[in-house]
Amino acid sequence: MTWERSHDRLRAPAGRPPSEGSPVSAPPPPRAGARRRTAATLAAATVAALAATTLASSTAYAEGPEQIVNGTFDDGHAPWWGTANLTLDSSSGRLCTDVPGGTVNPWDAIIGQDNIALVAGESYEFRFFGTATPARVAKALIQLPVDPYTQYLAANPQLSVSGDSYTYTFTSPVDLPNAQVAFQLGGSAEPWRICLDDVSLRGGAEPPVYEPDTGPRVRVNQVGYLPKGPKNATVVTDATDPLPWQLRNATGTVVANGTTTPRGLDESSGQQVHSVDFGRYQRAGTGYTLSADGETSRPFDIGADFYERLRLDALKFYYTQRSGVEIRDDLRPGYGRPAGHVGVAPNQGDTAVPCQPGVCDYTLDVSGGWYDAGDHGKYVVNGGISVHQLMSTYERSVLARTGELWQLRDGTLALPESGNRVPDILDEARWEQEFLLKMQVPAGQPYAGMAHHKIHDNEWTGLPLLPHLDPKLRELHPVSTAATLNLAATAAQAARVFLPYDRRFAARNLAAAKRAWDAAKANPEIYASPADGTGGGAYDDADVSDEFYWAAAELFISTGGKEYKDFLLASPHHTGDIWRDRGMDWGHTAQLGRLQLATLPNLLPDRQRVRASVVEGADRYLATLRAHPYGIPYDPAENTYDWGSNNLILNNAIVMATAFDITGNDRYRAGVLETMDYIFGRNALNQSYVTGYGEVASKNQHSRWYANQLNPNLPNPPRGTLSGGPNSSIQDPVAQQKLRGCAPQFCYLDDIESWSTNELTINWNAPLAWIAAFVADQDNGDARGRLR
């Protein structure tokens, strides 16, 4: 079937068993990042491809028999069960219970019923009435009752004191005689009371249809355009001939007009589209709109100040991701919280963390650093590329002719360290780099000089869960060559970046980098296990030749050492084609080395060829952008968008920005600006992927502490937080319920439970911060590129 909204097209498809006293439902599938999950896990997740909506549908279908036994509680509550910490009471004609405070995970307190029969392909309507005192978000699930607890319906009803009725529909992908209905009620520090009534599950429902609200068919950068930069938009229309367009200012006066350019079918969205170029108009102002084909865009500005704000907001994100320190509310109003994982109960880390059983016989203080994403894990390979790109943002501000170092000066990010005469961006980078140094195996131990791959909980936790309330055992995971080379690369970079500010810290980093390099050469094939994904992402990578190249590049730039130069010149990554259509990421880091060698002073004998190769890569991405109706430098093979596609798109933009710094050619700068149009709303969903930027923007990214969608007492992610964006594989149950068969650009939900499409991570905000600083440095387009 096909789902259609006007001219927008979205392609579509064709708890444990109860034991006496305390049945339990397992946690949802783990949140992880691109390339973190095994093929088997992905296949298992994909089995749950289905469709659901929280809207009730009036159906002409024949209503099926009632599947719930005793859903009205008129005569007791059997066969409903509760976990051991709940006492069920149906004496009022409703099923009520007091939920104890102090539980950690949603599945720590459950009301459920088993042996619910599901028929593959049948659509069901699930209804119930519920109250909560005080108001509370619960979880309503229909799922497989045993591991892997596949969820066929997952909903988060916001229960009120006065009570409401809730209706959901879903289509079962399986024949299952013993599905489980589970209301997960745990995860609250305070006690509360829930009552349920009129619980019903019937087949014969109208198959659910999810239809995203994409707003007007004229798609623009909802934040704004630089006065002297390109200004492009996309119109979704079936018209085959050019259409007139009008640009209006805030008073409604037409200030520019022209005709669209038909572009035909955009395969990434399944839409017929036209392009609009209004770049000749350069007057700064607010509240502009663009009209075409009877529709008017969301408003936008023409100016530059919003990129100055984003430069700071994208970097301020990292302070609230810090582990091991109190987040001060006076520095981030609304985001203050106690220090997480500093050895204070209920935390079991991170000041003396043991290894997984059988891995080592010592403990390490690995406190500090940044939480990787929406979980409490800390990963060296993800931290490596993140801290590298922050330090590279600083290095570019020093070396590029358009760089504005003073915009990153001490005091700009409102950090606890502000006032120490060190640029705030380096203070923030140091917080992570100190953690990476702590992950190095001490002298005298097996694998001395190597780095442990990661540290996280021994089990997955649920949402929401503030870091200081995490009770799980923390464990160091085995060393890996990839993690060790990330440490070598970032420590070598830190050695030169921090030299003007802290010579002792710089020397410490250089020594650690050399030890890591030597250890990696001695152990070149120790790979993270793809099966090591309980409690945290695996981050497995079976090819570390690119990490070797990046580390050698950073060491050569910092030391000029012959060993590193010889390694670079012999590496296939030095002359090979490394410019992937899918972009660079934590698992593909040769590009980082190439960019550094091209832009930072060094005595590499073929440096001019290296610089020319960066320009060639930029030309490739620019050609992709120009050919794309939405202006995206990203055209992955088989038209499948990756997990975290937005960060890959921004990393491709970094290559174009670097080409601008090398050549001064304005076409690369224009490519970067047009890439930001996509991120800020010129896309099929007509929304910005950066929290706080644009009329409609992502705000429910997957996080255990920015969890306002699940707990109104918690905040949404801070301004300047990038969402991962469309992901064709839609591995999480919520996305599977609604997005099966989605065209790539439509494979996204702004839902906190959609961890495969709406994650936030430190390595996704890093390229956003880099690009935001680059664009902010351009002012109004008067500056010329080239490195100093």
Side-chain angles (χ1 to χ4, degrees):
M1 62 181 287
T2 300
W3 301 340
E4 296 191 11
R5 178 189 183 278
S6 184
H7 297 272
D8 291 332
R9 290 184 173 79
L10 175 60
R11 292 196 298 273
R16 292 190 175 94
S19 55
E20 194 67 24
S22 59
V24 179
S25 289
R31 188 275 329 139
R35 292 177 57 192
R36 300 182 209 176
R37 298 165 66 82
T38 65
T41 305
L42 294 178
T46 305
V47 168
L50 17 113
T53 180
T54 58
L55 299 176
S57 35
S58 59
T59 176
Y61 289 71
E63 189 175 62
E66 179 62 66
Q67 302 288 90
I68 298 294
V69 177
N70 190 18
T72 58
F73 311 108
D74 293 331
D75 185 19
H77 52 262
W80 292 90
W81 51 262
T83 46
N85 54 354
L86 300 179
T87 299
L88 304 186
D89 177 13
S90 55
S91 60
S92 65
R94 294 178 177 176
L95 179 60
C96 299
T97 189
D98 292 313
V99 183
T103 56
V104 175
N105 300 300
W107 52 86
D108 291 344
I110 305 173
I111 294 174
Q113 184 174 135
D114 294 317
N115 299 316
I116 306 296
L118 299 178
V119 177
E122 181 72 14
S123 294
Y124 294 87
E125 182 179 86
F126 181 50
R127 294 185 289 107
F128 60 90
F129 176 85
T131 70
T133 308
R136 169 78 183 171
V137 177
K139 288 183 178 292
L141 307 173
I142 297 177
Q143 63 182 12
L144 188 70
V146 294
D147 194 8
Y149 300 92
T150 305
Q151 297 169 2
Y152 309 121
L153 172 68
N156 296 297
Q158 297 191 21
L159 304 177
S160 67
V161 175
S162 59
D164 292 290
S165 294
Y166 303 86
T167 303
Y168 306 90
T169 57
F170 71 101
T171 300
S172 174
V174 295
D175 286 313
L176 187 66
N178 63 334
Q180 181 183 85
V181 171
F183 292 93
Q184 293 185 350
L185 312 174
S188 174
E190 303 299 327
W192 62 291
R193 182 172 178 81
I194 184 175
C195 290
L196 298 170
D197 201 0
D198 298 326
V199 185
S200 173
L201 177 69
R202 291 181 180 272
E206 182 178 356
V209 175
Y210 172 71
E211 185 177 291
D213 181 4
T214 56
R217 290 184 288 105
V218 181
R219 311 292 160 79
V220 297
N221 177 332
Q222 296 174 27
V223 178
Y225 302 85
L226 294 187
K228 295 185 179 179
K231 301 173 189 67
N232 294 280
T234 298
V235 181
V236 180
T237 177
D238 287 333
T240 56
D241 296 325
L243 298 168
W245 59 261
Q246 299 84 34
L247 176 68
R248 290 180 169 84
N249 62 19
T251 67
T253 302
V254 175
V255 294
N257 60 77
T259 56
T260 64
T261 301
R263 300 293 297 270
L265 176 67
D266 167 41
E267 293 187 355
S268 70
S269 64
Q271 299 167 326
Q272 298 288 338
V273 298
H274 289 205
S275 294
V276 175
D277 182 349
F278 58 104
R280 289 188 176 184
Y281 187 81
Q282 299 184 357
R283 180 168 298 177
T286 62
Y288 286 98
T289 57
L290 186 69
S291 298
D293 200 25
E295 301 253 341
T296 299
S297 74
R298 289 174 171 143
F300 57 89
D301 296 346
I302 297 178
D305 59 331
F306 37 83
Y307 279 110
E308 291 292 353
R309 291 194 299 270
L310 181 62
R311 182 208 305 260
L312 301 181
D313 285 343
L315 290 170
K316 286 182 176 181
F317 161 86
Y318 288 92
Y319 175 56
T320 53
Q321 287 291 117
R322 285 189 185 186
S323 175
V325 67
E326 174 193 8
I327 304 304
R328 289 168 45 185
D329 200 69
D330 62 316
L331 298 179
R332 297 293 185 276
Y335 291 89
R337 57 173 172 81
H341 299 99
V342 289
V344 176
N347 285 168
Q348 298 191 54
D350 288 347
T351 56
V353 178
C355 286
Q356 287 179 307
V359 171
C360 74
D361 59 3
Y362 53 82
T363 64
L364 291 180
D365 177 355
V366 290
S367 57
W370 299 319
Y371 295 118
D372 171 63
D375 61 341
H376 302 132
K378 299 185 291 190
Y379 311 85
V380 172
V381 295
N382 221 32
I385 189 172
S386 304
V387 74
H388 161 76
Q389 289 189 311
L390 261 64
M391 290 190 288
S392 294
T393 301
Y394 168 80
E395 289 184 305
R396 185 195 170 275
S397 73
V398 174
L399 294 171
R401 288 192 182 276
T402 59
E404 296 177 340
L405 178 58
W406 62 91
Q407 298 286 8
L408 299 172
R409 67 189 181 277
D410 183 24
T412 53
L413 300 182
L415 300 176
E417 299 86 356
S418 294
N420 64 356
R421 299 185 179 182
V422 176
D424 277 3
I425 189 173
L426 294 187
D427 284 327
E428 193 56 73
R430 182 168 180 162
W431 191 263
E432 177 69 4
Q433 188 60 31
E434 292 271 16
F435 159 72
L436 297 180
L437 292 171
K438 292 178 179 180
M439 293 291 281
Q440 192 166 33
V441 177
Q445 298 291 346
Y447 299 111
M450 296 287 282
H452 287 278
H453 196 68
K454 56 180 182 169
I455 175 260
H456 57 65
D457 294 347
N458 66 334
E459 295 178 324
W460 283 104
T461 57
L463 282 72
L465 181 63
L466 288 165
H468 70 286
L469 298 177
D470 173 21
K472 298 298 183 181
L473 175 68
R474 308 282 276 181
E475 293 178 329
L476 289 167
H477 291 245
V479 300
S480 73
T481 307
T484 304
L485 291 167
N486 269 260
L487 174 59
T490 61
Q493 184 181 18
R496 62 176 182 269
V497 166
F498 284 94
L499 186 62
Y501 306 102
D502 188 337
R503 298 182 68 85
R504 183 173 298 179
F505 183 62
R508 178 183 164 206
N509 273 280
L510 186 57
K514 291 179 177 180
R515 287 198 306 272
W517 174 261
D518 291 340
K521 286 197 305 175
N523 301 278
E525 296 181 346
I526 299 181
Y527 304 124
S529 169
D532 188 12
T534 299
Y539 281 100
D540 54 301
D541 185 357
D543 178 4
V544 296
S545 61
D546 50 330
E547 282 86 358
F548 268 109
Y549 182 76
W550 173 33
E554 297 289 3
L555 280 159
F556 176 69
I557 294 168
S558 291
T559 70
K562 183 177 184 299
E563 175 187 357
Y564 312 121
K565 179 185 73 173
D566 291 346
F567 187 94
L568 289 170
L569 296 176
S571 170
H573 294 293
H574 191 56
T575 56
D577 181 5
I578 59 173
W579 309 114
R580 307 167 66 234
D581 58 352
R582 296 182 182 275
M584 56 189 172
D585 59 19
W586 64 265
H588 301 89
T589 59
Q591 299 92 325
L592 303 179
R594 185 84 65 91
L595 293 172
Q596 293 290 84
L597 292 168
T599 55
L600 295 169
N602 64 81
L603 298 178
L604 198 67
D606 63 343
R607 184 164 180 256
Q608 289 305 315
R609 184 202 57 77
V610 171
R611 288 162 67 88
S613 75
V614 172
V615 176
E616 291 171 3
D619 285 336
R620 179 180 303 175
Y621 295 137
L622 187 60
T624 298
L625 179 149
R626 288 176 171 172
H628 201 293
Y630 275 101
I632 316 171
Y634 178 71
D635 186 23
E638 300 177 359
N639 198 30
T640 56
Y641 275 38
D642 297 273
W643 196 321
S645 60
N646 284 341
N647 110 99
L648 301 178
I649 289 168
L650 288 171
N651 277 326
N652 287 349
I654 287 177
V655 179
M656 293 188 288
T658 304
F660 171 77
D661 286 340
I662 292 172
T663 67
N665 193 312
D666 196 59
R667 69 175 181 268
Y668 302 116
R669 171 183 170 275
V672 174
L673 293 171
E674 193 164 353
T675 300
M676 288 306 298
D677 294 345
Y678 170 83
I679 297 296
F680 280 154
R682 185 193 171 197
N683 52 57
L685 286 169
N686 198 13
Q687 70 146 86
S688 168
Y689 290 111
V690 180
T691 303
Y693 285 79
E695 185 176 84
V696 177
S698 300
K699 63 179 181 180
N700 294 310
Q701 289 94 319
H702 179 82
S703 171
R704 281 162 175 73
W705 56 100
Y706 312 129
N708 180 266
Q709 185 179 344
L710 300 178
N711 182 347
N713 295 320
L714 295 175
N716 291 111
R719 282 176 55 89
T721 301
L722 180 71
S723 169
N727 171 14
S728 296
S729 296
I730 54 171
Q731 290 94 334
D732 64 85
V734 174
Q736 290 168 353
Q737 289 166 9
K738 297 185 177 182
L739 301 179
R740 186 164 57 127
C742 52
Q745 281 202 56
F746 283 103
C747 296
Y748 171 81
L749 290 172
D750 184 26
D751 190 298
I752 194 170
E753 301 282 8
S754 185
W755 37 262
S756 69
T757 77
N758 200 33
E759 192 175 25
L760 59 83
T761 76
I762 56 175
N763 62 306
W764 295 349
N765 246 64
L768 177 67
W770 197 107
I771 287 294
F774 171 85
V775 177
D777 283 349
Q778 308 310 308
D779 297 314
N780 291 334
D782 294 326
R784 284 286 176 256
R786 295 186 183 276
L787 296 164
R788 294 189 177 100

